[in-house]
């Protein structure tokens, strides 16, 4: 059957809209590829977090489980970057605290804390480093920390320190 002029334009517009929904710009394609690669790498890197244990090896729900601590397998720890080691050394003793790490003029949250920031503070997650992260300008710390405390979270702040050798 032949289409009328109105049906043709309607059909063409409809197929144009669907094509546009699936046509990605080169930068969108690169972003999606980067996100996919990041997820695949980190799914394996942090697989040990799928089975959370406290420092003594107890799981949530087990008698004596301490939610303040986190067990990190030596095999995982040995593959961490220097910054990841600094982060996890602090996080493993403060696992139940949402930690904000000072980096330059920002406070950044990583991994599970970044998920909290994304979900409860509507911050954008990014993958610029080997960890999921989101951040806030240093002048906004009190505002965002107060919001998390009001939602029942414990909040901690880790300040950046320089040694004389690093200056």
């Amino acid at each position: 059957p032949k289409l009328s002029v109105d049906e043709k334009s309607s059909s063409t517009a409809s197929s144009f809209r669907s094509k546009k929904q699936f046509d990605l710009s080169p930068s969108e394609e690169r972003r999606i590829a980067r996100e996919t690669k990041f997820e695949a790498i980190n799914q394996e890197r942090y697989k040990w977090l799928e089975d959370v244990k406290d420092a003594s090896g107890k799981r949530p729900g087990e008698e004596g489980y301490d939610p303040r601590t986190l067990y990190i397998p030596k095999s995982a720890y040995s593959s961490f970057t220097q910054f990841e080691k600094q982060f996890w050394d602090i996080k493993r003793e403060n696992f139940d605290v949402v930690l904000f790490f000072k980096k330059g003029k920002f406070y950044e949250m990583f991994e599970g804390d970044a998920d909290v920031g994304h979900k409860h503070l509507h911050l954008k997650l990014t993958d610029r480093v080997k960890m999921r992260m989101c951040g806030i300008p240093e002048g906004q710390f009190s505002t965002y920390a107060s919001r998390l405390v009001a939602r029942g979270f414990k909040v901690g702040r880790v300040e950046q320190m320089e040694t004389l050798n690093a200056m």
Side-chain angles (χ1 to χ4, degrees), residues 37-47 130-131:
K37 182 179 175 184
F38 176 80
E39 287 173 12
I41 290 169
N42 284 323
Q43 182 176 7
E44 197 57 40
R45 282 175 57 90
Y46 293 112
K47 197 161 190 73
K130 292 182 176 184
M131 302 166 72

Side-chain angles (χ1 to χ4, degrees), residues 27-41 124 126-128:
S27 65
E28 290 170 321
E29 288 176 356
R30 285 190 302 274
R31 180 186 54 81
I32 290 170
R34 189 178 70 246
E35 287 173 358
T36 303
K37 182 179 175 184
F38 176 80
E39 287 173 12
I41 290 169
K124 183 180 181 208
T126 186
D127 61 355
R128 288 183 298 150

